[in-house]
Structure formats: C-alpha cells, structure tokens
C-alpha cells in the first residue's frame, strides 16, 4: 500500500487546533496532503454522527482536535468530545472498522509544530492500517 | 419512564444478516429520553449498520424513521403504505413498541435493536436508576416515598434484613439499603410510626404473578 495517501478529516476547534494549523501554515511546516480540515466552533460541537458520516463517505481516519485540557473556551466541550471519541472507538471496533481510525488530540493555538506533527503521525498510523475497509464495497454498491 | 440500552453490535449485525433493506424505526418517547432509540440513535445505528455491512462487502439499505410513539396503533398505522418495501423492521423502541409493530404487520420480521431494561428515573445526566417494578398496589405512602419492591434487593416489606450494613445493601457496597433509606426518610417526616406498623403479606396477584395485566377504562373506550 505504498501509494496509499490516506484521507484524514480533522475537526479542528476554532480556538486552538484551527489556529495551530494556521500557524503551521505560516511556519511552512509540512503535513500530508490528504489532511482535510473542518473548522468547528468547539470540539464539543462535533457529533458522533459527523465522525461516522465522514467515514461513511470514505475518509480513512478522523481526528478531533481540541484545546488543551482545562483550556476549552466553552469550559468542557473538549472533554465531551473526548468522551464521544471514546464511545466511537468502541463502536468502530465492534463493526470491524477499527478503533484507531478516530482519535482525540489536544493542542494550544500557538502549537503549529504540534499540529503538523500530530497530523503527520496520525496519517502515518492510518497509512499503516490501510484504507477505510468500506471504500471498495461502497464503490461497488 | 421505560429505559433501554442498545444491544451489542455483534448481536445486531447477526440479527440483520439475512436482510438487504431494512426500516430502522425509532420512537420519540421513553427511548428518546434515555438516549437509546430516538432520532439521534437511529441515525447513529443506521450509519454503523451501513458501515459494518459495507465492511463485510454486503451493503445494507437502511431507511431511517422515528415515530411519535411505537406503542400506539395510530402512529404505527403511518407505516401501512410503505412497509412492504422492506425485508424487515429493526425497532429501537422498547419491547412494547416492537410488539405493537409485530402485531400490526404480521408478515414482516421485526427485530429488537435495544434491550428494554426497567422503569427508571434519571439520577443525573446519563444515569438512570430503577425506581418502580409496577407491582399494581403502590405502598410508597407507607414507606417514605421509597419503593421496597424495586429498591430492596429482597423485596422485603418489614426490613431491613440482617445483611444491611452502614446503610448499604449486602449485595454490594455501591447499593443503598432501601430500608435504611426508608427509615431515614420516615424519621425526617416524623412518621416513624409507619415503620413500626407490621405490613401484611403483599397480594402479588396485582403484579406479574397474576399473569399478563391489562387496564380497561370503559369510560375512555370509543
Ligand atoms: S410499590 Fe409497587 S407501584 Fe409503588 S413504586 Fe414500588 S413497585 Fe411501583
Ligand atoms: S440490605 Fe437492605 S436493600 Fe439489601 S436486601 Fe437487605 S433490606 Fe433489602
């Protein structure tokens, strides 16, 4: 699977991860081309269904990127998101899609380097897992 | 309200294995409140089913719908025109809803997607606890508003039993002894004389022991 370029959807919180991605851009830091960023007001607003829909539409992995613990602009949105991601991991394992395809990550707005590194690492993990197993079947259907 | 929890995915996937097109049917009442089978859970399970089946290379068509109430014939009637299109109905309602659908559409397999649990009250967000066992002859007025049928592990009426320790039930340190709760509450209410009064053996024929129960209100019948 050397030519497999994973599509990773990142739900990035406006107050931290999205800004961090911006900083990464200004610092000319590279992260994989398959990383697609969806800006959200808070990871607390990321519904389990958003993650499942992304996977249904063929994303290979989904990253929910929120603020550092204790630093959520809306107090505990990132903790709620983390609880959802935990439940989703169980569900994804139960349907053999793989818990590893969704991850909760945290960073502050200034951490452009952390964003780039986290995105690279996650994309690498997904590359190792291989494409979302539903892709061929979804195309055939 | 009636509480329920989603069945394990493995069991669900197995139960829908023979089908290609299903109606995934939620209910807007109790199972919505306990986050087991409302519109939201229908959407989540729908996505999970599609993903799970695609992963196996056996795509499943899932139509999602949530009725106002699945245990009332007038709402269930809404399906009459479309129900033939499906190989099966996968119901996320409580057992009453599932059975109402099965009775109205006898030619169609109806699969439960949730396990119906108990009559419970909400203790905190995301936490429900058993509060009533529907015994058909309520004694809450004598027990400080705490039910010995649903909340005492032995359903005893002149408690506590010898296993009560430091306010906890002998089955687990995490379970309050119902009779301790009853005593504390009666003291608070200044009604300890209720506690001293011996309760007669309970007539369980009003409960499940009397066979399946019905309520008939002649004054309501059309
Ligand atoms: S006494 Fe019977 S009706 Fe009353 S709360 Fe307990 S189980 Fe329910
Ligand atoms: S310890 Fe209390 S709640 Fe448990 S069985 Fe005995 S009386 Fe009932």
């Amino acid at each position: 699977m050397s030519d497999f370029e994973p599509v990773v959807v990142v739900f990035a919180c406006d107050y931290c991860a999205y800004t961090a991605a911006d900083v990464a851009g200004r610092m000319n830091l590279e992260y994989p081309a398959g990383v697609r960023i969806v800006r959200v007001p808070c990871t607390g607003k990321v519904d389990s269904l958003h993650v499942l829909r992304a996977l249904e539409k063929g994303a290979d992995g989904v990253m929910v990127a929120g603020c550092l613990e204790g630093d959520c602009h809306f107090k505990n949105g990132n903790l709620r998101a983390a609880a959802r991601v935990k439940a989703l991991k169980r569900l994804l394992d139960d349907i053999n899609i793989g818990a590893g395809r969704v991850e909760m990550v945290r960073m502050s707005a200034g951490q452009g380097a952390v964003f780039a590194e986290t995105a690279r690492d996650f994309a690498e993990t997904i590359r190792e897992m291989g494409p979302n197993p539903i892709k061929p079947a979804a195309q055939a259907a | 309200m009636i509480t329920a929890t989603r069945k394990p995915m493995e069991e669900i996937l197995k139960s829908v294995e023979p089908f290609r097109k299903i109606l995934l049917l939620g209910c807007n009442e109790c199972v919505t409140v306990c986050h087991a089978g409302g519109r939201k859970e229908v959407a989540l399970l729908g996505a999970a089913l599609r993903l799970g089946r695609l992963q196996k290379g056996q795509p499943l068509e899932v139509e999602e719908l949530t009725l106002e109430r699945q245990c009332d014939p007038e709402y269930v009637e809404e399906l009459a025109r479309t129900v033939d299109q499906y190989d099966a109905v996968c119901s996320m309602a409580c057992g009453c809803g599932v059975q109402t659908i099965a009775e109205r559409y006898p030619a169609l397999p109806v699969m439960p997607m949730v396990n119906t649990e108990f009559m419970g009250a909400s203790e905190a967000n995301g936490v429900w606890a058993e509060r009533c066992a529907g015994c058909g002859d309520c004694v809450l007025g004598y027990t400080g508003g705490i039910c010995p049928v649903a909340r005492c592990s032995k359903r005893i009426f002149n408690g506590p039993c010898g296993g009560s320790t430091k306010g906890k039930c002998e089955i687990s340190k995490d379970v309050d002894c119902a009779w301790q709760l009853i005593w504390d509450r009666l003291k608070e209410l200044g009604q300890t004389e209720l506690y001293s009064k011996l309760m007669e053996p309970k007539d369980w024929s009003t409960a499940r022991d009397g066979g399946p129960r019905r309520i008939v209100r002649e004054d309501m019948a059309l």
Side-chain angles (χ1 to χ4, degrees):
Chain A
M1 267 308 156
S2 55
D3 56 347
F4 164 52
E5 193 49 60
V7 172
V8 169
V9 173
V10 183
F11 291 106
C13 156
D14 187 43
Y15 290 93
C16 49
Y18 187 82
T19 314
D22 225 12
V23 171
R26 265 181 274 144
M27 290 166 77
N28 291 325
L29 296 172
E30 269 187 48
Y31 53 85
V35 172
R36 315 281 157 82
I37 300 178
V38 180
R39 180 186 191 172
V40 292
C42 171
T43 50
K45 192 63 194 156
V46 179
D47 199 292
S48 304
L49 206 48
H50 296 139
V51 175
L52 288 183
R53 286 277 187 268
L55 291 169
E56 266 197 276
K57 295 198 165 181
D60 298 296
V62 179
M63 219 162 79
V64 179
C67 304
L68 295 172
E69 229 164 279
D71 275 351
C72 175
H73 187 78
F74 299 100
K75 276 193 176 158
N76 55 8
N78 55 352
L79 300 180
R80 293 189 173 175
R84 259 171 242 152
V85 167
K86 203 168 151 200
L88 272 168
K89 278 177 167 291
R90 267 199 307 272
L91 181 67
L92 291 179
D93 253 349
D94 286 347
I95 55 178
N96 288 321
I97 299 286
R101 289 191 188 275
V102 56
E103 212 61 69
M104 175 85 202
V105 297
R106 296 186 173 87
M107 65 199 68
S108 74
Q111 292 179 313
V114 172
F115 180 86
E117 193 188 323
T118 310
R120 276 198 302 269
D121 286 353
F122 185 67
E124 196 44 49
T125 308
I126 299 294
R127 197 194 306 278
E128 274 160 28
M129 285 180 83
N132 181 347
I134 68 140
K135 262 185 185 166
Q139 273 149 17
Chain B
M1 97 196 125
I2 296 174
T3 60
T5 50
R6 204 202 64 216
K7 278 181 174 289
M9 248 353 253
E10 199 189 339
E11 185 185 343
I12 289 181
L13 281 169
K14 193 146 182 51
S15 72
V16 299
E17 225 165 55
F19 310 119
R20 296 181 57 87
K21 185 172 183 187
I22 60 158
L23 175 64
L24 187 56
L25 196 59
C27 175
N28 238 340
E29 299 282 342
C30 314
V31 289
T32 292
V33 184
C34 70
H35 302 275
R39 191 165 303 166
K40 175 70 185 290
E41 290 71 29
V42 164
L44 284 169
L45 181 61
L49 277 172
R50 283 190 295 271
L51 278 165
R53 283 284 292 260
L54 272 173
Q55 193 272 339
K56 287 190 183 171
Q58 301 156 349
L60 179 70
E61 258 188 81
V62 183
E63 182 100 17
E64 298 166 8
L65 183 71
T66 299
L67 297 182
E68 195 53 38
R69 262 200 302 284
Q70 239 181 82
C71 57
D72 260 335
E74 52 267 50
Y75 298 109
V76 166
E77 205 52 39
E78 284 172 38
L79 305 179
R81 268 180 295 121
T82 50
V83 87
D84 307 341
Q85 300 167 13
Y86 310 102
D87 302 337
V89 172
C90 291
S91 167
M92 297 194 81
C94 76
C96 303
V98 179
Q99 292 184 60
T100 308
I101 301 284
E103 226 172 291
R104 172 61 185 85
Y105 304 107
L108 202 68
V110 182
M111 331 287 295
M113 298 288 108
V114 304
N115 288 324
T116 305
E117 306 278 354
F118 49 79
M119 280 188 263
S122 178
E123 275 187 347
N125 222 14
V127 183
W128 295 272
E130 183 157 23
R131 284 288 182 267
C132 171
C135 74
D137 181 16
C138 194
V139 300
L140 287 175
Y142 312 115
T143 57
I146 290 150
C147 173
V149 184
R151 298 181 68 178
C152 164
S153 309
K154 294 175 189 160
R155 305 193 163 195
I156 55 178
F157 281 81
N158 292 287
C161 75
S164 179
T165 315
K166 293 190 178 138
K168 298 294 172 187
C169 172
E170 69 174 332
I171 65 151
S172 157
K173 281 197 223 27
D174 301 326
V175 177
D176 287 326
C177 166
W179 276 100
Q180 178 74 54
L181 297 177
I182 291 170
W183 170 249
D184 292 346
R185 182 95 174 99
L186 287 177
K187 263 203 314 202
E188 219 171 280
L189 292 168
Q191 289 184 327
T192 46
E193 79 282 357
L194 285 175
Y195 185 82
S196 323
K197 198 173 126 298
L198 217 66
M199 275 216 231
E200 299 282 309
K202 190 168 163 72
D203 174 6
W204 289 100
S205 69
T206 57
R208 263 290 306 162
D209 307 47
R213 292 165 281 176
R214 286 178 98 197
I215 297 172
V216 181
R217 282 275 304 261
E218 271 119 6
D219 54 332
M220 303 300 294
L222 294 177

